Amino acid sequence: MATVTAIPTDGLTKAQRRRAALAEVDNAAFSWYHVKIAGVGFFTDAYDIFAINMCSAMIGIIYSKGGTITANQDLGLKVATPVGTLIGQLLFGWLADVVGRKKMYGVELMLIIVATFGQAIAGHGPGVNMYGVLITWRFIMGVGIGGDYPLSAIITSEFATTRYRGRMMNAVFAMQGFGNLAAAITALVVTVAFKDSILKYSDHHTVDHMWRIIIGLGIVPATIALYFRLTIPETPRYTMDIERDLDQAERDADFVKTGKFERIEDRVVERVDVPKASRRDFIRHYSKMSNFKVLFGCAWSWFALDIAFYGLGLNSSIILTAIGFGSSHSKDPNRKVYDTLYNQAVGNIIISVAGLIPGYWASFIFIDSWGRKPIQLMGFILLTIIFIIMGFGYDAILGNSKGAFVFLYCLANFFQNFGPNTTTFIIPGEVFPTRYRSTSHGISAASGKLGAIVAQVGFARLKDIHGPGKFIKHILELFALFMLTGIFSTLLVPETKGKTLEELNGEEEVEDNYAAHEKAVERDSSSNSGRHPIDDDRKL
């Protein structure tokens, strides 16, 4: 490793050296380095999650009786990933606080790569069902995707300059929009490429090649990002506040300016006096209403948002078919298969370009000037109104103009991303103390995925009550109700614009009163037994 110049430390106390090192990060210029490394992962996550939206119909053509995927089969394919994601967010969120951000970063991509490859070459036989195999692989992939949420958010947040932290985290998350678009474009290109074969063969065996290609291509961006994730340095805040290694943290902080870092070997570690993570300290921290309400506000806001976001996102092809947008009227069964697959891909491209991507980048423009909380409030308010119009006016709108319904659908996607879908990712990466930041982000994100699971199961079970697609309007009305609850949960979270991470969670104040804090932990938790997996000296 190249040698870098350390931060001058002559005459400074350890607390002053800590703040000087963090100031190096907080006052740095905007950098695309971590945005690119973390962003490619989120591009992959979105591609892998939403590719199944197009591929489930293809899989049904080949492996379901009658050539149509059943509701339970479709539900299994779509809900397996969110279930895995929920587990991955909790597991990797906790491990990133226990083991370290760097040590876990890249492990989640390995899981995604292996599971994606497993899906692409999956087979079936007398002893194994194809849907069972795919659901298993998609669950494993979901665990990896879940790990990416807290890891990418926290690493970007802890390396980000205070002035542009919102934009840097937003840019990472915005890659989801391009991943969603890439999945739809890939589906369109593959469908057109196999057009002649689809029209020629009545058994549609070439469709089996199509969905494997679409899903398998998700390996490419993940592989590109893997090397950079494995070689990224530990965040200065983790080294400083959890490993409590002052000298190494000062070297790591230089990375934001030079792009180079060194690992100091064979030395006596100079420890920083900062609160140590423990089960007792965790309970004490979140026993305070001022801290618990922030965690609850982040978790519920994400839960409410994902009810609608995944309810729409994973079922966009079903909704487009239900409203008759781009439906095939051909009597030729081969032509009908081609038209259905083509129209689904085109419809998803329209939704991505018209709503998803512009929403992400509108947030990017305003996130550090307006602030996170105003954008989240605006989004929940407008989404409540939009879903009320779409739900209660469903029949009237479709009776007059299907295009108007698609416009409202795109508008909902726009204000999800220029609104709570972006901010629910950013705020949990800022408001919690370093020693519990990743765990708390994982809890918030997992709450969101619980919402996604509820939405997917509910959508599958409710949409066909009283006939195919007849209950969709009432589902949209339920989405409006959850958006309304998001307005109130947003009021529980603080505004984070323009504040350092330490200002937001009071870590500087605790550092100045370190001895008093440790005594308070012992006193307030005297009735609790057991310890956190991290011992007091952080021996890993």
Side-chain angles (χ1 to χ4, degrees):
M1 291 289 181
T3 302
V4 296
T5 303
I7 299 166
T9 60
D10 295 342
L12 298 180
T13 66
K14 287 190 289 185
Q16 290 170 330
R17 288 172 61 188
R18 173 182 180 273
R19 292 176 184 177
L22 295 180
E24 290 283 307
V25 179
D26 291 334
N27 298 322
F30 184 94
S31 171
W32 284 100
Y33 179 80
H34 292 92
V35 171
K36 289 184 288 187
I37 293 175
V40 173
F42 267 88
F43 175 95
T44 303
D45 296 345
Y47 182 97
D48 290 337
I49 290 172
F50 293 104
I52 199 65
N53 196 15
M54 276 75 68
C55 290
S56 63
M58 299 180 186
I59 295 168
I61 290 171
I62 302 299
Y63 296 103
S64 296
K65 292 181 180 180
T68 303
I69 192 169
T70 67
N72 287 336
Q73 291 167 342
D74 186 65
L75 174 62
L77 290 176
K78 291 178 179 178
V79 83
T81 303
V83 171
T85 302
L86 186 153
I87 294 172
Q89 287 163 337
L90 293 173
L91 177 63
F92 279 86
W94 173 68
L95 286 173
D97 280 339
V98 174
V99 179
R101 284 74 156 127
K102 171 181 170 56
K103 290 179 181 178
M104 299 311 301
Y105 211 36
V107 175
E108 82 292 350
L109 272 186
M110 294 180 192
L111 278 177
I112 293 171
I113 290 169
V114 170
T116 302
F117 184 73
Q119 291 174 72
I121 62 171
H124 75 134
V128 63
N129 181 272
M130 184 64 170
Y131 287 99
V133 174
L134 289 176
I135 288 168
T136 300
W137 281 121
R138 290 196 66 78
F139 170 81
I140 296 171
M141 183 185 75
V143 174
I145 290 173
D148 204 16
Y149 276 76
L151 284 168
S152 289
I154 301 310
I155 287 174
T156 305
S157 172
E158 293 183 349
F159 268 115
T161 170
T162 300
R163 182 180 179 185
Y164 297 116
R165 188 175 60 239
R167 285 190 175 182
M168 290 179 69
M169 296 181 73
N170 194 138
V172 169
F173 198 61
M175 294 305 294
Q176 277 197 338
F178 290 110
N180 202 321
L181 176 62
I185 291 176
T186 302
L188 177 63
V189 171
V190 170
T191 299
V192 172
F194 280 84
K195 178 180 179 179
D196 291 341
S197 297
I198 295 172
L199 297 177
K200 182 178 180 181
Y201 300 106
S202 59
D203 63 355
H204 309 305
H205 65 272
T206 54
V207 175
D208 195 40
H209 303 158
M210 292 167 58
W211 71 263
R212 295 177 188 275
I213 292 170
I214 295 168
I215 287 179
L217 285 174
I219 295 173
V220 176
T223 305
I224 293 172
L226 183 59
Y227 168 78
F228 297 99
R229 291 197 173 190
L230 294 176
T231 56
I232 197 173
E234 185 56 87
T235 72
R237 284 182 165 89
Y238 184 89
T239 307
M240 188 95 65
D241 293 348
I242 302 183
E243 292 184 338
R244 302 166 65 219
D245 187 342
L246 181 56
D247 292 330
Q248 185 61 57
E250 289 173 334
R251 297 324 192 262
D252 292 345
D254 279 330
F255 181 78
V256 299
K257 295 190 302 182
T258 65
K260 301 176 182 178
F261 70 99
E262 64 173 330
R263 188 74 188 173
I264 308 174
E265 306 291 348
D266 301 326
R267 63 196 165 85
V268 176
V269 175
E270 189 169 6
R271 302 291 185 187
V272 187
D273 288 334
V274 291
K276 295 181 283 289
S278 67
R279 182 180 292 114
R280 288 179 292 177
D281 181 59
F282 182 88
I283 294 171
R284 179 179 183 274
H285 181 78
Y286 283 114
S287 293
K288 295 180 179 179
M289 182 53 66
S290 58
N291 296 328
F292 175 76
K293 74 174 185 178
V294 175
L295 179 61
F296 179 80
C298 290
W300 183 267
S301 296
W302 209 331
F303 173 83
L305 180 276
D306 274 7
I307 289 278
F309 183 76
Y310 282 90
L312 291 182
L314 287 175
N315 298 289
S316 55
S317 296
I318 292 174
I319 294 174
L320 290 171
T321 300
I323 66 175
F325 182 78
S327 298
S328 174
H329 299 290
S330 175
K331 297 186 182 298
D332 179 1
N334 288 11
R335 185 75 200 190
K336 193 166 187 175
V337 167
Y338 173 78
D339 288 347
T340 298
L341 298 177
Y342 180 90
N343 292 335
Q344 285 182 359
V346 171
N348 279 280
I349 290 173
I350 292 171
I351 290 169
S352 296
V353 173
L356 288 174
I357 293 175
Y360 283 118
W361 293 101
S363 287
F364 178 84
I365 294 171
F366 295 106
I367 195 76
D368 283 319
S369 55
W370 286 12
R372 288 62 150 159
K373 194 170 180 177
I375 291 176
Q376 185 162 310
L377 274 173
M378 175 197 70
F380 272 128
I381 291 169
L382 291 176
L383 286 169
T384 301
I385 296 170
I386 291 169
F387 284 126
I388 286 174
I389 295 172
M390 291 177 70
F392 289 97
Y394 185 85
D395 294 325
I397 295 170
L398 289 181
N400 289 281
S401 174
K402 292 174 183 176
F405 188 88
V406 173
F407 170 77
L408 287 171
Y409 189 99
C410 292
L411 198 63
N413 279 312
F414 177 82
F415 282 111
Q416 282 177 332
N417 293 317
F418 183 29
N421 189 41
T422 298
T423 55
T424 52
F425 172 80
I426 293 174
I427 295 173
E430 302 176 304
V431 295
F432 303 114
T434 303
R435 61 194 186 278
Y436 304 126
R437 184 171 293 130
S438 186
T439 299
S440 302
H441 192 285
I443 292 171
S444 300
S447 300
K449 284 303 161 286
L450 179 60
I453 294 166
V454 170
Q456 191 56 47
V457 174
F459 196 101
R461 291 287 176 262
L462 297 176
K463 68 182 178 68
D464 293 329
I465 294 177
H466 306 310
K470 296 294 184 181
F471 206 77
I472 288 179
K473 61 182 177 182
H474 299 303
I475 294 175
L476 295 171
E477 294 163 7
L478 290 173
F479 288 169
L481 175 62
F482 280 102
M483 297 305 98
L484 181 63
T485 67
I487 297 172
F488 297 103
S489 60
T490 299
L491 300 177
L492 299 176
V493 301
E495 177 53 62
T496 61
K497 177 188 71 172
K499 297 179 181 179
T500 68
L501 298 180
E502 288 66 39
E503 288 173 332
L504 286 167
N505 51 60
E507 284 180 311
E508 288 186 356
E509 180 183 344
V510 171
E511 180 189 34
D512 291 335
N513 299 279
Y514 172 70
H517 171 83
E518 291 300 294
K519 289 180 181 178
V521 173
E522 292 293 332
R523 182 182 66 251
D524 295 351
S525 306
S526 59
S527 61
N528 297 323
S529 61
R531 301 186 63 78
H532 191 277
I534 316 170
D535 65 21
D536 286 346
D537 294 323
R538 298 296 305 179
K539 294 177 183 177
L540 302 178

